[in-house]
Amino acid sequence: MRHSLPQRTLYFVGCEGDSEQAYLALLNKLAEERGLHVWIHGDRLNPGAGDPLELVKKAIQRLEDRRRRSTKYRYRAVFLDADTREQHSERARQALFMARDADIQLVWQNPNHEAVLLRHLDGCRDLRPDATRSLAELRKR
């Protein structure tokens, strides 16, 4: 008798760089180790140069390509660095509306992905370095 494995629930996360993709790979590994039937498809959206609107546009494009190939995601998100929200406020506002229309959740990492990673480490939960210092602080810890 053959046992069939349950179909994995797919999640889409658009991201900017290698560290975010590595983070999603870690989450997939942890889910697999715990027997969860989920898969987070991390899709690198660069080059987007941190422009929230361009990243959301690319995510919509990639999702449309996958939909045409019958790939369905239960949840769709894009990781964005919050420091870019202040730098590109009008484009961030447009990205918010475009993402909402496409049923994509924007995940604003404050101030950036490296600072979020830092807060995962023991004793670092309350650290809040600015975007220019977050990578150095992460490496230090």
Side-chain angles (χ1 to χ4, degrees), residues 30-119:
L30 292 172
E32 188 173 322
E33 288 172 357
R34 285 158 179 75
L36 301 175
H37 299 285
V38 300
W39 185 257
I40 304 167
H41 179 172
D43 198 327
R44 190 167 179 188
L45 302 174
N46 266 346
D51 181 335
L53 184 58
E54 284 304 311
L55 293 167
V56 169
K57 284 179 180 179
K58 287 180 184 190
I60 291 169
Q61 206 172 43
R62 302 272 173 86
L63 285 163
E64 181 59 28
D65 290 344
R66 298 227 169 71
R67 187 194 61 76
R68 281 194 290 268
R69 289 184 259 152
S70 300
T71 303
K72 295 181 181 170
Y73 295 98
R74 181 173 192 185
Y75 185 83
R76 292 160 299 285
V78 174
F79 285 174
L80 299 164
D81 291 343
D83 63 327
T84 65
R85 188 172 38 193
E86 289 85 43
Q87 295 168 2
H88 307 283
S89 60
E90 179 55 30
R91 293 183 71 76
R93 189 181 69 75
Q94 292 173 13
L96 176 65
F97 291 123
M98 187 175 281
R100 189 178 298 151
D101 289 345
D103 195 28
I104 297 172
Q105 177 69 44
L106 299 184
V107 178
W108 292 100
Q109 304 171 107
N110 192 14
N112 56 22
H113 183 66
E114 292 74 20
V116 171
L117 289 178
L118 175 66
R119 290 191 292 273

Side-chain angles (χ1 to χ4, degrees), residues 1-2 5 18 22 27 47 49 51 56-58 71 94 96 102 110 114 122 125 133 137 141:
M1 180 201 288
R2 264 179 108 167
L5 293 174
D18 292 337
L27 292 179
D51 181 335
V56 169
K57 284 179 180 179
K58 287 180 184 190
T71 303
Q94 292 173 13
L96 176 65
N110 192 14
E114 292 74 20
D122 286 338
R125 185 181 71 197
R133 292 188 359 243
E137 190 67 30
R141 305 280 175 161

